[in-house]
Amino acid sequence: MTEILMIAGMAAVTFGIRYILLASAGHFSFPGWAKAGLNFVPPAVLTAIIFPAVLIPNSNAIEFNLENPALLAAVVAVITGLVRKDLLTTIIVGMLAFGLFKWLL
């Protein structure tokens, strides 16, 4: 019973937060400086997720060397993304590169 109440409480809090934002949509607008600042949120979040996964894959130490398959695959993915400018190709090539480097190293 405790688990059901906990799940119901989490659902209520999540719904409440989202409902407040959705209900107020269209009633106010952000100032220009806030809109400009929000453009930096996706790159900042992706950087915060990707860099630790690439540079600290197995331990608490930074592995910035050529024996790190995640780092090598990330370099291949970045180059692919810059050349092809296609997200799906970049993801596929990056995953294949990671698998290959993981197998080779």
Side-chain angles (χ1 to χ4, degrees), residues 74-87 89-91:
V75 170
V76 170
V78 167
I79 292 170
T80 303
L82 291 172
V83 171
R84 295 282 305 200
K85 301 204 182 330
D86 177 36
L87 183 61
T89 305
T90 303
I91 292 171

Side-chain angles (χ1 to χ4, degrees), residues 7-78:
I7 291 171
M10 289 187 296
V13 169
T14 301
F15 177 78
I17 291 170
R18 292 181 182 181
Y19 181 77
I20 290 169
L21 291 174
L22 290 174
S24 62
H27 296 292
F28 68 92
S29 61
F30 288 109
W33 61 268
K35 287 181 183 176
L38 287 174
N39 288 334
F40 295 104
V41 170
V45 170
L46 286 173
T47 302
I49 292 170
I50 292 171
F51 268 87
V54 168
L55 294 177
I56 312 170
N58 298 322
S59 63
N60 292 333
I62 294 177
E63 296 182 21
F64 194 75
N65 55 41
L66 294 177
E67 295 174 359
N68 182 352
L71 179 62
L72 296 174
V75 170
V76 170
V78 167

